[in-house]
Amino acid sequence: MTGVHRARTGDARAAEADAPAADRPVAAVPAGRPGAVGAADGDRPPGQADGDRPPGQADGSTGAPRAALLSAARDELWKAVDARDEPSASRGVFGLLDSGLAAEDVLLEVIAPVQRKVGAEWAAGRITVAQEHAATAIHERVIAALAHRSAPRTGPSGVTVTVACVEGEWHALPARILAETLRLRGHAVDYLGAQVPTAHLIAHLRRTAPDVAALSSSLPTRLPTAHAAITAVRATGVPVLAGGAAFAPDGRYARLLGADAWAADAREAADVLSRGLPRPGPDAARPAAEDLPHLDDQEYTVVSRGKRRLVRHTLAGLERRLPAMLSYSETQRERTAEDLAHIVDFLAAALYTDDTTLFTGFLDWTGGILEARGVPARVLLPGLDLLRQELRDFPRTLDLLTQGADTLRGRDPRPTIPGPGTAP
């Protein structure tokens, strides 16, 4: 594991792009989908907000081709956030609205792709975590300003939706983009933001009685918590629309954990709501564990509850195997422990879902992050070997660790630059 901490220089939020991405760099998964350009102001239907045009039309003021307009807008926004120039970023976004670009398109086709680029640049080691934080913060404030500028002029005509990040999920930008997209589509949105404890969420739903709860999660390590939230929300009679990188690109974890629907992006989420979601039936109150019979073997419980012990023992074993670690600074030692903790977290999530690819995909992506910084992916192998020794009596866990090690050994030894979509 020596040298792993050198990869942990920031939190790649490539996923903070669209509706239901990472405070730890090993979990950044991008999102974001294309949309459409609107008409000139004079063609706006009654009640439609400024900048929110019907899809499929070219920019009314310049006649510029759609692709060229969007490409130039993304380039300019990237330059602004890369330079930490918030005024220029804001002027550029408002200029797009003034030129006839729909607010939804600005969100999903300009801001979201640039946020993905922020994450990709971090993954490649070309920007620091401080730069990544600054760019994300600029996007958050620009979206807030855009929301006020583009608020629909008429009251909501759609369903009432509560949008929240599951407990422990601090990446609120995907959920925020979803909330603003749904508002633009005429839905009444109650946006609760990041890290909403499940008990507080349920109390809020009982008071407000929305038609739908949209739950966002970016990290697969939050899936057990997301499962508890989905089950608790459905038990109140409110259907759940799940989204975010945690639920996998095809939504398989959303289905596994009992969500009523899943959406890959904000536009798909709006389409799902337009079709309607039925209220959950009486069986929604059953225990969450009934959905996952493989949890009867208790391996997930052993690994998740034993995380601190596993990290402590593995770190001690590494120090015995790798004498160079004895010269680590306290900061280096803490970062190595954090890396081990993250490996254990993903191991537990893979046990919870009974999906080997969740763990092997995480290790493969982490290997790419390491190699982009000149650190061989194989530095992870000693830690996995020590974890195998600690957990040798647990067949599913042992198989996951073995397959994870095989994945790292099978990587192309040539350094690679991770890009969007490479995390699990």
Side-chain angles (χ1 to χ4, degrees), residues 34-330:
V37 177
D41 282 347
D43 298 325
R44 184 167 60 246
Q48 184 169 292
D50 182 33
D52 191 16
R53 312 295 194 276
Q57 299 178 24
D59 171 49
S61 61
T62 67
R66 181 176 184 277
L69 174 68
L70 294 173
S71 178
R74 289 189 289 266
D75 288 344
E76 290 304 312
L77 181 58
W78 163 250
K79 290 176 184 176
V81 298
D82 186 41
R84 300 175 302 285
D85 185 352
E86 186 172 339
S88 290
S90 298
R91 285 194 299 271
V93 166
F94 291 140
L96 292 171
L97 296 177
D98 291 338
S99 73
L101 193 65
E104 182 176 308
D105 297 320
V106 175
L107 282 170
L108 303 184
E109 299 191 57
V110 179
I111 296 175
V114 173
Q115 183 63 30
R116 294 203 304 277
K117 182 176 176 66
V118 170
E121 291 296 296
W122 172 84
R126 289 189 288 263
I127 64 173
T128 67
V129 65
Q131 291 171 293
E132 179 272 323
H133 273 284
T136 301
I138 289 171
H139 279 156
E140 289 171 343
R141 290 189 290 270
V142 167
I143 289 170
L146 181 149
H148 288 293
R149 162 76 178 268
S150 304
R153 293 176 180 174
T154 59
S157 57
V159 301
T160 57
V161 188
T162 296
V163 177
C165 296
V166 301
E167 187 169 354
E169 181 57 72
W170 291 95
H171 301 94
L173 194 57
R176 180 61 183 270
I177 292 178
L178 170 64
E180 300 312 328
T181 300
L182 296 181
R183 282 194 183 105
L184 291 169
R185 294 289 188 96
H187 299 293
V189 179
D190 196 4
Y191 173 65
L192 305 187
Q195 215 289 97
V196 182
T198 299
H200 295 181
L201 173 63
I202 297 306
H204 183 80
L205 296 179
R206 292 190 185 282
R207 286 195 301 272
T208 59
D211 296 310
V212 178
L215 300 184
S216 175
S217 184
S218 298
L219 288 170
T221 54
R222 307 297 182 215
L223 287 173
T225 303
H227 191 192
I230 289 169
T231 303
V233 170
R234 296 186 78 247
T236 69
V238 177
V240 173
L241 171 62
F247 295 104
D250 59 0
R252 60 185 179 274
Y253 301 137
R255 293 187 290 272
L256 177 71
L257 304 184
D260 296 277
W262 167 81
D265 55 43
R267 284 197 170 104
E268 186 175 327
D271 292 341
V272 169
L273 293 183
S274 69
R275 296 191 294 269
L277 286 175
R279 295 275 177 177
D283 66 329
R286 72 184 186 278
E290 290 187 11
D291 295 328
L292 307 174
H294 57 267
L295 295 180
D296 288 343
D297 64 13
Q298 297 298 305
E299 293 197 31
Y300 163 75
T301 302
V302 169
V303 172
S304 60
R305 292 184 179 177
K307 174 181 170 181
R308 290 186 179 181
R309 177 186 60 80
L310 288 169
V311 171
R312 186 173 63 252
H313 288 188
T314 303
L315 188 61
L318 286 173
E319 290 174 339
R320 290 191 297 271
R321 284 193 181 192
L322 306 169
M325 285 188 62
L326 296 175
S327 64
Y328 275 15
S329 68
E330 188 60 29

Side-chain angles (χ1 to χ4, degrees), residues 317-356:
L318 286 173
E319 290 174 339
R320 290 191 297 271
R321 284 193 181 192
L322 306 169
M325 285 188 62
L326 296 175
S327 64
Y328 275 15
S329 68
E330 188 60 29
T331 299
Q332 289 173 319
R333 197 173 185 278
E334 288 177 358
R335 288 177 178 172
T336 301
E338 289 172 1
D339 289 317
L340 288 169
H342 216 60
I343 288 173
V344 174
D345 284 339
F346 269 85
L347 178 64
L351 289 167
Y352 194 87
T353 58
D354 199 29
D355 188 344
T356 301

